[in-house]
Amino acid sequence: MTPLVAMVSSPRARLFACFLRLGAQQASPFQLHTGVSLAAKNYYEVLVLGGGSGGITMAARMKRRVRAENVAIIEPSERHFYQPLWTLVGAGAKQLSSSGRPTGSVIPSGAEWIKARVVELNPDKNCVRTDNGKEVSYKYLIIALGIQLDYEKIKGLPEGFAHPKIGSNYSVSTVEKTWKALQDFKEGNAIFTFPNTPIKCAGAPQKIMYLSEAYFRKTGKRSNANIIFSTSLGSIFGVKKYAVALQEIIQERNLIVNYKQNLIEVRADKQEAVFENLDKPGETQVISYEMLHVTPPMSSPDVLKTSPVADAAGWVDVDKETLQHKKYPNVFGIGDCTNLPTSKTAAAVAAQSGILDRTISLIMKNETPTKKYDGYTSCPLVTGYNRVILAEFDYNAQPLETFPFDQSKERLSMYIMKADLMPFLYWNIMLRGYWGGPAFLRKLFHLGVS
């Protein structure tokens, strides 16, 4: 079956992408690390746990602070993915292959890649242990282990993904199943879920709903589709300005939203989803589906849950302004694995990386960190194959917009930024440690106003 890429690639978008590639000469991927050292040391000045967006970005930044040979990354995965693109992959607008690259190609050149999994943290002794029995010591530790997908907490999953009509944009092994389910849709309920846990990219569960509705309209199936968003939350979005805009779209497109409903079971053989009413524990509802998109429950990685660096909920316990650990001054956290009270997104990681870089540089000089993270995060809310509402906000759920126009409006320009500019920026600038978020652009566009 043919992806929707051809349907959404306009001459304007292709011209924009070509323009972006002109700037890639100074950030050529051929300059990046492409191999794995065979003889890892047992001690590093800076040890990074996790080779996701936060880990790679911070390793690149730390390389410039302490020289590459003094930096190591512990990461077991052979491939690194730009996961924000999976929303578009699940809707057929991008190919899965375009979202991933070999991990070795994004490791900063000269830095050590320890291809293993962390199984124990011992911050009192400044060391960690890996699944191959190796003990690695450090002077400074950066924890960037991301978030754990817990599909198994829903009865009937993950084995249910072996059946048709069901997918999930949150896993590399299930995102293409979303596109298959979308294409195979004939008539009935299309259900999209949001779990009763913290998750990464909290806008993604509804983005695929808007894209699916647009696909049904394009293919003449909309009149046969009953589109349902079943969310454990009590509102459509946590920032009022954007929630109002989304509610208008929901009404205009005749979408059904069921609040305080948590998916607890999938009967994939019968194409049934079971939801619990969170306002009335024990009360359940069974809904049949023709298509089901599952957003899984998520949690802190198991290795962190019982470690000394975790808070009571299992997240890395860091100061929300400096990202320094509250108990261990030589330990730092970034991204989804932390207890920072902001939305867990790649945009948040970018902003955090600039703050954390500055924090660590001052700690290394025995000085007090002064730069403070304001909770900046961003969620490009894809509302169609050529429209995006760009939500940007801070710790207080107040808009913190970059551009000098109303970002709660659907715009083609923001879609092009989401689909083409952001992946380019990620691979060529952010992962090399040169992107700390759009704060400087915000000041420029708003004439110095922060």
Side-chain angles (χ1 to χ4, degrees), residues 46-66:
V46 177
L47 180 62
V48 180
L49 306 185
S53 58
I56 297 296
T57 298
M58 288 311 302
R61 288 177 176 271
M62 291 299 99
K63 170 186 171 181
R64 297 195 289 271
R65 297 287 183 190
V66 300

Side-chain angles (χ1 to χ4, degrees), residues 114-389:
I114 302 174
K115 196 186 302 183
R117 188 179 304 277
V118 178
V119 295
E120 183 182 358
L121 286 75
N122 191 339
D124 293 300
K125 295 184 177 180
N126 296 322
C127 67
V128 304
R129 186 168 58 85
T130 64
D131 57 357
N132 58 10
K134 182 179 179 63
E135 191 172 272
V136 185
S137 300
Y138 57 82
K139 184 174 182 180
Y140 302 101
L141 179 70
I142 299 174
I143 305 173
L145 288 172
I147 198 167
Q148 180 173 290
L149 305 182
D150 296 326
Y151 284 104
E152 71 281 356
K153 290 184 178 178
I154 299 173
K155 186 178 179 180
L157 295 182
E159 61 272 18
F161 287 113
H163 293 263
K165 310 290 187 179
I166 177 174
S168 175
N169 289 352
Y170 278 88
S171 169
V172 66
S173 63
T174 58
V175 61
E176 290 180 308
K177 293 179 182 295
T178 302
W179 174 227
K180 182 68 165 57
L182 189 54
Q183 290 174 297
D184 290 346
F185 184 93
K186 292 182 175 60
E187 181 178 7
N189 294 327
I191 305 175
F192 305 85
T193 72
F194 191 112
N196 190 28
T197 68
I199 67 170
K200 57 183 173 182
C201 195
Q206 60 181 295
K207 295 177 193 180
I208 187 60
M209 171 181 66
Y210 302 127
L211 284 163
S212 296
E213 193 275 340
Y215 177 78
F216 294 150
R217 278 189 280 114
K218 285 177 181 287
T219 55
K221 299 177 181 179
R222 181 63 183 93
S223 61
N224 298 326
N226 189 38
I227 301 174
I228 304 170
F229 186 56
S230 290
T231 173
S232 64
L233 302 179
S235 62
I236 196 66
F237 200 75
V239 180
K240 183 178 180 180
K241 177 178 182 177
Y242 307 118
V244 170
L246 292 171
Q247 286 288 4
E248 290 179 359
I249 292 172
I250 287 168
Q251 292 177 4
E252 290 171 359
R253 300 180 191 176
N254 195 27
L255 308 176
I256 299 170
V257 181
N258 295 329
Y259 295 107
K260 308 297 283 187
Q261 297 293 311
N262 184 42
L263 179 67
I264 59 173
E265 181 181 357
V266 174
R267 302 167 184 168
D269 56 333
K270 299 179 181 178
Q271 291 179 212
E272 293 178 344
V274 183
F275 294 89
E276 180 180 22
N277 185 341
L278 296 178
D279 285 335
K280 298 178 180 179
E283 179 180 296
T284 61
Q285 180 183 19
V286 180
I287 306 177
S288 62
Y289 62 83
E290 170 69 2
M291 173 187 176
L292 175 64
H293 177 269
V294 177
T295 299
M298 302 181 201
S299 65
S300 173
D302 288 340
V303 66
L304 293 177
K305 287 187 176 80
T306 57
S307 73
V309 301
D311 65 8
W315 307 100
V316 180
D317 195 14
V318 296
D319 182 280
K320 74 172 192 175
E321 294 182 336
T322 66
L323 281 68
Q324 183 178 26
H325 196 273
K326 292 179 180 177
K327 179 179 179 182
Y328 301 100
N330 65 330
V331 175
F332 309 87
I334 185 171
D336 297 350
C337 67
T338 68
N339 61 358
L340 295 170
T342 193
S343 187
K344 299 177 185 295
T345 68
V349 170
Q352 291 164 21
S353 71
I355 301 296
L356 184 53
D357 184 19
R358 187 63 179 154
T359 291
I360 295 177
S361 70
L362 290 173
I363 295 294
M364 287 177 170
K365 299 174 186 176
N366 293 318
E367 297 178 15
T368 301
T370 55
K371 195 76 171 175
K372 295 181 179 181
Y373 176 50
D374 57 10
Y376 172 84
T377 190
S378 174
C379 182
L381 292 158
V382 184
T383 55
Y385 283 99
N386 58 5
R387 290 292 184 272
V388 159
I389 290 173

Side-chain angles (χ1 to χ4, degrees), residues 381-406:
L381 292 158
V382 184
T383 55
Y385 283 99
N386 58 5
R387 290 292 184 272
V388 159
I389 290 173
L390 182 60
E392 296 180 290
F393 48 98
D394 60 16
Y395 276 138
N396 298 317
Q398 294 301 307
L400 197 59
E401 298 183 343
T402 298
F403 299 101
F405 50 72
D406 184 0

